[in-house]
Amino acid sequence: MTLRDRLFAEEADQSQILKELSEAGVSQALVISTCERLDILAVQDADEASSAQAPLQGIEARLRRVMARRIGEDPRVLDEEGYFHRGRAALRHVFAVTSSLDSQVIGEPQILGQVKASHRQALEQNMSGPLLEAVMQAAFGTAKRVRSETPVAQQPVSLIASALQTARDLHGDLSRCAGLLVGLGEMGELLAIEFQAAGLSELTVLHSSDRRAEIASHRFGCHTRPWQELDLALEAADVVITAAGGGRYSLEPAMIDAALRKRRKKPMFLVDASVPGDVAPAVGEMDGVYVYDLDDLESLALAGKVSRETATMAAWKILGEELLRFERKWAERAAAPSVAQLRRHFEAVRDQVLSEGKLDAEAATRLLINRLLHEPSKALRENAAEVTQGPDHDALVRAASHLFGLGECADLAPGEVKKDKDAARHPKDASGCGGESVKE
């Protein structure tokens, strides 16, 4: 059994994983489990993220330990087939998965529903939080834009339509045909669902994991057979969908030849929905067997239509825009407490000035400016004395200029007033910059 099969998690398993993550000190997480992947999206606490601990001493180590216990092996085995993304790379991955840009078939519709189900489960188990919730809402928004603004979502629909039409051309009425699903890849499951909807009279599921086959049979309302009986199952199958994706051929020429003899040369329609393929190339050269892989179906589907490359380029552009939008929005949200605190400080200083008796406008404003600038000026002088040159000093000067919006104001002589050509559109602000600039 492959590592992917051992990590497969149905709903109850996902709930248990969330519970174990919570016990390990992870406060925000969700588990995305599909036929092709098991992803855990987790949020690292701010204190831990800013510490000097090595990555394996923090959240990554916790995730690895939870997964290693699940498969009963050393955590290092996960390095062979797993991945760990941090920060922006993690955001990009979540957006891509939710938008079905990281699927075997770009645009397949099942993944969005699976991600939404994972999100609901995290909410129900109190494993969501401000950052995780913001990420997921942004990911869902990205998926909506990709599906509504690009042709990406049309691709799996077109592939399925091509497969159904080809099967009908070969066998006629599908209600007289029996189907076989070998493996449980995402596209394979999607094809099986659509073939059932199109009238396929019977469906049998096989998987190297009997447990996964049993779960799938309940979902499809169909039969299952042990993996060891693949030869026998092929004999009755008019339509075979392969989606094992084990990295080796599940269907070899000798196996298909034996099945054809039992079928008395009645033709078989094979759809290889795996990448890499499940069907040995030589099978496609045999009489009575019609093998189509995803590229073949795509060629039929995209004749005279927009290419997959064009559609996905537009989708990735949208993803990039939404990623930047999220990062900017979250950064602004993170700065909000500091802005509020700064405003409260300014109001307190203003109240102090007003409480010191009656002052004319010039004296009051001069006193207010002096008090507001006292601490910043002192800090700038002290830091400049410590860092007299180099990138740190330059960065400090640039930060101060940017923070106070100095720009051209810094170049004015004392008492000089600079008139702004666009004064009507840029009224004065508290610093004097805008409609006019004054330097005392």
Side-chain angles (χ1 to χ4, degrees), residues 355-373:
S355 68
E356 294 190 6
K358 293 184 178 181
L359 298 173
D360 59 28
E362 181 178 358
T365 53
R366 190 181 300 278
L367 180 58
L368 179 62
I369 290 173
N370 287 338
R371 290 192 178 177
L372 288 176
L373 292 180

Side-chain angles (χ1 to χ4, degrees), residues 101 106 146 150-152 155 306-316:
L101 296 179
I106 303 299
V146 167
T150 75
V152 161
Q155 186 190 358
V306 64
S307 69
R308 174 176 54 181
E309 290 75 15
T310 301
T312 53
M313 282 177 61
W316 279 107

Side-chain angles (χ1 to χ4, degrees), residues 106 162 170 178 190 261 269 382 404 417 427:
I106 303 299
S162 298
L170 179 63
L190 190 57
R261 281 189 273 109
F269 176 59
E382 291 176 350
F404 290 99
V417 177

Side-chain angles (χ1 to χ4, degrees), residues 311-325:
T312 53
M313 282 177 61
W316 279 107
K317 181 181 179 181
I318 289 174
L319 188 145
E321 292 171 356
E322 292 298 320
L323 184 59
L324 288 173
R325 187 198 307 273

